[in-house]
Amino acid sequence: MKRALESLIFWGLLAAFWEYGVSALGVRRYLLPPLSAVLAAGWEARQMLLAETWVTMVEVLLGFSLAVVGGILLGVLIHLSALARRTLYPLITALQSMPKIALAPLMIVWFGYGLGSKVAATFLFAFFPVVVATLGGMSNVPIHLDEHFHALGASRWDRFWRLQMPSALPAFVDGIKIAMPLAVIGAIVGEFIGAEAGLGHLITLATANAQTDLMFAAILVITALSVFLYGMVERLARAVWWRGISY
């Protein structure tokens, strides 16, 4: 109850500062509307916001799922293969070093304005943390446990499935927690570049029509969506109960 009350007070003070600080500081409404105007615009456009949120959420979930599966497979491959470590890992690092916003227009050229380009952009943003977390987790197996498995005569498959994978899961869940907000950003960036629907597309339209209150309402919805999806990942991460336990 104390934690909930502290959070409630903090967010209440932040909302009050937004609402009354705009007027007190003389900020023009077209630059930053008060919170009440943003909420009113969001309520008025609630049906449209709900429809666009659904589009963006589908894009995020599809791209994030592909990033998780692909990241696990590549992380395992790089860990098991010295050739992949010398070739694929530098390539993935080089791709990560490229500015994603510069690659987003290519997604439109390659996959069009539909769902495919947004899923590709989401995958591109969320992929690298999963690879690094999987690879790092599998590389940090406690040496005494590895020696113990060797002493017991465990096969390579048994060591992989019963030792390396469980040891990698704490790092992996931290990686997907980082990847989830990035997946939301990737979907929104893809919608900014070119889309026919989605919250990013709605922000672009609201900006073009000088509807700052609606633009902020869409931003709040994006924030809420990101927090919700992150919370779902966090709840799943609790199943890895041995996180933080020292071997």
Side-chain angles (χ1 to χ4, degrees), residues 22-107:
V22 170
S23 301
L25 296 175
V27 180
R28 297 184 182 276
R29 290 175 65 95
Y30 70 86
L31 293 176
L32 179 62
L35 180 60
S36 58
V38 173
L39 296 178
W43 177 255
E44 184 178 349
R46 60 188 180 278
Q47 295 295 336
M48 180 171 55
L49 281 171
L50 182 61
E52 306 295 359
T53 300
W54 174 254
V55 172
T56 300
M57 186 168 66
V58 170
E59 296 166 355
V60 170
L61 292 178
L62 288 176
F64 177 75
S65 300
L66 291 175
V68 169
V69 174
I72 292 174
L73 293 178
L74 264 181
V76 170
L77 177 62
I78 293 170
H79 174 74
L80 297 177
S81 170
L83 178 61
R85 194 176 304 115
R86 292 192 301 267
T87 55
L88 285 178
Y89 194 48
L91 175 61
I92 294 171
T93 304
L95 289 175
Q96 175 64 17
S97 302
M98 296 180 183
K100 304 299 185 301
I101 191 67
L103 296 176
L106 287 176
M107 301 298 104

Side-chain angles (χ1 to χ4, degrees), residues 7-18:
S7 298
L8 185 62
I9 292 174
F10 171 77
W11 289 108
L13 291 175
L14 190 62
F17 177 76
W18 183 356

Side-chain angles (χ1 to χ4, degrees), residues 97-201:
S97 302
M98 296 180 183
K100 304 299 185 301
I101 191 67
L103 296 176
L106 287 176
M107 301 298 104
I108 302 298
V109 173
W110 291 340
F111 300 104
Y113 284 88
L115 178 65
S117 60
K118 314 310 173 297
V119 173
T122 302
F123 173 86
L124 194 64
F125 272 73
F127 175 68
F128 189 72
V130 181
V131 175
V132 172
T134 303
L135 183 60
M138 297 193 69
S139 300
N140 291 328
V141 176
I143 186 65
H144 66 280
L145 291 181
D146 191 46
E147 292 174 349
H148 183 65
F149 270 66
H150 274 287
L152 292 175
S155 65
R156 186 174 183 178
W157 172 254
D158 284 333
R159 294 200 307 272
F160 171 77
W161 188 249
R162 298 178 183 273
L163 176 61
Q164 292 175 337
M165 285 300 293
S167 297
L169 280 177
F172 168 72
V173 297
D174 289 337
I176 63 173
K177 285 165 63 178
I178 295 172
M180 175 52 80
L182 293 176
V184 177
I185 295 173
I188 297 301
V189 168
E191 292 172 353
F192 280 161
I193 301 300
E196 299 172 349
L199 291 170
H201 176 67

